[in-house]
Amino acid sequence: MLILTRKAGESLYIGDDIKITLIGIQGKQARLGISLPDTMAVYREEVYKRVMQDNILAGTSDNKEFNDDANYTKLTETRIGKMHLDKDKFITMPKGLIGYEQETEFSIIEYKPDSPFFIYQSTKTPELGLLIADPYLFINEYTVKLNEAEQAALQAETAEDITVFVTITIPHGRPEESTLNLSGPIFINHVKRIALQVPQDVSPTKVLLAECVAKMKTENNG
């Protein structure tokens, strides 16, 4: 690790395009100013790690087998049983899933008919399948952001090309504590079948699914 000493107001460069300036120090906190190209993104470490942990907790661990068949579909055993994955519907993640950067190809599997939940299933690793849902079915006040680089990576021509999903964590033996994880939404260009997981500095970082459902029932009955 390279360690440099800087005074308030002094800067350093990383390559030709990234400039980091120490704006000031107050107590144990340092304020940094970062200038970088629009094609790059910066995430807070704690946000990135939170998304990674959410992905790990949301993943499955009981898939057992995985094969190719002659029709170029793939058979995998997910948490909802054996499913054929259609190659024409595979989704590419150029940067992989956070915490699973080697996983760059997924398929969305319907959890069950008329369910708001889906399995975001790796086509390469049977053990990796995350429960996901459209957050806007449960909450209205969720705002997400994409910078220019992220928008370019998704190659969307219109906002309507993009669908947003969040992962869901179901604690073992405590389904009533299931949460929608809001820090790491997955943006999917459903036209070109390209996806990107983008950390968000949001508050709250997760909400109880049971509370969302209860609120929806109250509003519908009101």
Side-chain angles (χ1 to χ4, degrees):
M1 176 184 293
L2 176 63
I3 299 176
L4 300 174
T5 301
R6 296 280 79 189
K7 296 179 181 179
E10 294 182 340
S11 303
L12 58 86
Y13 282 85
I14 301 176
D16 297 327
D17 300 326
I18 303 174
K19 178 182 179 182
I20 301 177
T21 302
L22 178 58
I23 296 175
I25 300 176
Q26 185 173 4
K28 295 182 179 181
Q29 290 188 328
R31 297 181 63 213
L32 301 176
I34 304 175
S35 296
L36 71 164
D38 291 336
T39 55
M40 300 182 69
V42 175
Y43 308 120
R44 296 176 187 268
E45 180 185 25
E46 62 272 22
V47 176
Y48 191 89
K49 287 184 175 180
R50 184 186 305 127
V51 174
M52 183 186 303
Q53 183 66 17
D54 286 343
N55 285 346
I56 293 172
L57 292 176
T60 65
S61 60
D62 58 356
N63 298 336
K64 299 176 182 176
E65 60 185 71
F66 187 70
N67 298 289
D68 289 324
D69 67 20
N71 296 319
Y72 297 100
T73 60
K74 296 186 175 183
L75 175 68
T76 187
E77 185 163 341
T78 70
R79 67 173 70 181
I80 55 175
K82 292 183 179 180
M83 299 291 296
H84 279 280
L85 307 182
D86 188 343
K87 188 174 182 180
D88 292 336
K89 296 181 180 180
F90 287 177
I91 296 167
T92 300
M93 298 191 78
K95 295 184 178 181
L97 194 68
I98 293 176
Y100 301 96
E101 282 72 15
Q102 75 281 5
E103 301 288 347
T104 58
E105 190 177 69
F106 289 82
S107 183
I108 295 179
I109 302 172
E110 187 179 48
Y111 186 68
K112 56 185 177 180
D114 300 321
S115 170
F117 307 116
F118 300 87
I119 301 293
Y120 196 57
Q121 177 65 47
S122 166
T123 66
K124 301 290 177 64
T125 306
E127 296 80 15
L128 181 61
L130 286 72
L131 191 64
I132 61 173
D134 179 345
Y136 299 106
L137 294 176
F138 302 95
I139 54 177
N140 298 319
E141 59 278 10
Y142 181 45
T143 302
V144 294
K145 298 179 181 179
L146 290 171
N147 63 25
E148 291 185 12
E150 293 155 350
Q151 293 178 42
L154 284 168
Q155 301 180 30
E157 296 182 4
T158 68
E160 287 71 28
D161 293 347
I162 302 295
T163 303
V164 179
F165 290 96
V166 297
T167 63
I168 298 172
T169 298
I170 305 177
H172 181 68
R174 306 191 310 276
E176 69 280 1
E177 297 178 18
S178 299
T179 59
L180 295 172
N181 305 316
L182 307 182
S183 293
I186 300 171
F187 296 80
I188 300 177
N189 179 340
H190 54 81
V191 177
K192 296 188 176 180
R193 310 203 70 78
I194 298 173
L196 197 66
Q197 187 171 35
V198 182
Q200 306 284 317
D201 195 357
V202 297
S203 181
T205 59
K206 55 187 62 183
V207 293
L208 282 172
L209 186 58
E211 290 184 358
C212 294
V213 173
K215 182 178 179 181
M216 290 168 57
K217 289 181 178 178
T218 299
E219 292 174 348
N220 292 335
N221 293 332

